[in-house]
Amino acid sequence: MVALVLSSCIDPVVPEFDFEEGLLFIDAIIGTEEGASYVTVSRSAINFGRNVNEFLPEATIFFTNIDSQRRVELLENEEIYLPPTDFVALPGETWQLQIVLSNGEQYESEPETILPIVPITNIGAFYDPQMEFRESSNRFIPGHSVTVDFEDPQNTQNYYYWNFRSFENLPYCLR
């Protein structure tokens, strides 16, 4: 009985936002490493009362090198479009994304130049037994911290893409 009283749970909350159907979402990356480039194309919809982003199959997608006019076709592979496995973009090259959907709609990105690779000077990771305090349970939750130091050139406008995935079991209250 004491264990049940001391355990905590969370109540699911219905999100409060205006969901609009028919919005097009394009997520694309051209990478400087093999296997890092991809494109996903989806459209917002409501299916069986749920807000979803539906993958749009059968699109024709190209990366085009503006300088050399080299066109690289991306092929559909399990709800993602991928270039050939040996495709890489080099710093200094300028690339553009072109998409033609199966219904004939056409989309084109602005040309973007691949920036020079910024060296990583240090990577660190450590376990912290008191990483985060949770008021709901009145205790500290352990976790891992990851740090990356870059040798970033001054006075250069650049952007870095950082992606991570975290998994955590969330106990839901039953009613």
Side-chain angles (χ1 to χ4, degrees), residues 86-98:
D86 62 347
F87 172 78
V88 294
L90 300 175
E93 293 179 334
T94 301
W95 290 87
Q96 185 174 38
L97 172 65
Q98 289 131 352

Side-chain angles (χ1 to χ4, degrees), residues 42-132:
S42 59
R43 195 175 299 277
S44 60
I46 298 176
N47 285 342
F48 303 105
R50 294 187 59 202
N51 302 335
V52 297
N53 289 330
E54 294 180 330
F55 175 74
L56 297 181
E58 301 175 12
T60 303
I61 300 179
F62 288 96
F63 291 147
T64 301
N65 184 312
I66 299 301
D67 305 316
S68 68
Q69 294 303 306
R70 174 182 167 215
R71 287 174 52 112
V72 177
E73 184 174 11
L74 284 77
L75 300 176
E76 185 177 333
N77 182 357
E78 298 181 18
E79 298 195 354
I80 193 168
Y81 293 93
L82 299 172
T85 55
D86 62 347
F87 172 78
V88 294
L90 300 175
E93 293 179 334
T94 301
W95 290 87
Q96 185 174 38
L97 172 65
Q98 289 131 352
I99 299 174
V100 179
L101 301 179
S102 61
N103 66 4
E105 290 178 48
Q106 296 184 28
Y107 299 90
E108 188 173 275
S109 73
E110 293 291 324
E112 291 199 33
T113 301
I114 306 297
L115 297 175
I117 297 169
V118 178
I120 294 174
T121 56
N122 188 36
I123 297 176
F126 66 93
Y127 175 76
D128 184 352
Q130 295 185 341
M131 173 161 257
E132 175 185 329

Side-chain angles (χ1 to χ4, degrees), residues 11-12 23 29 37 51 92 98 122 133-134 149 154 161 168:
D11 291 318
L23 296 177
I29 288 187
S37 303
N51 302 335
Q98 289 131 352
N122 188 36
F133 182 77
R134 291 231 176 118
D149 296 333
Q154 292 182 359
Y161 177 73
E168 177 181 357

Side-chain angles (χ1 to χ4, degrees), residues 115-172:
L115 297 175
I117 297 169
V118 178
I120 294 174
T121 56
N122 188 36
I123 297 176
F126 66 93
Y127 175 76
D128 184 352
Q130 295 185 341
M131 173 161 257
E132 175 185 329
F133 182 77
R134 291 231 176 118
E135 290 184 24
S136 61
S137 61
N138 199 32
R139 65 185 175 108
F140 283 96
I141 305 298
H144 291 85
S145 286
V146 176
T147 61
V148 180
D149 296 333
F150 296 93
E151 196 173 297
D152 194 17
Q154 292 182 359
N155 303 322
T156 302
Q157 186 177 26
N158 50 33
Y159 305 94
Y160 301 103
Y161 177 73
W162 176 263
N163 188 11
F164 76 96
R165 194 174 288 195
S166 174
F167 297 94
E168 177 181 357
N169 290 329
L170 298 175
Y172 291 94

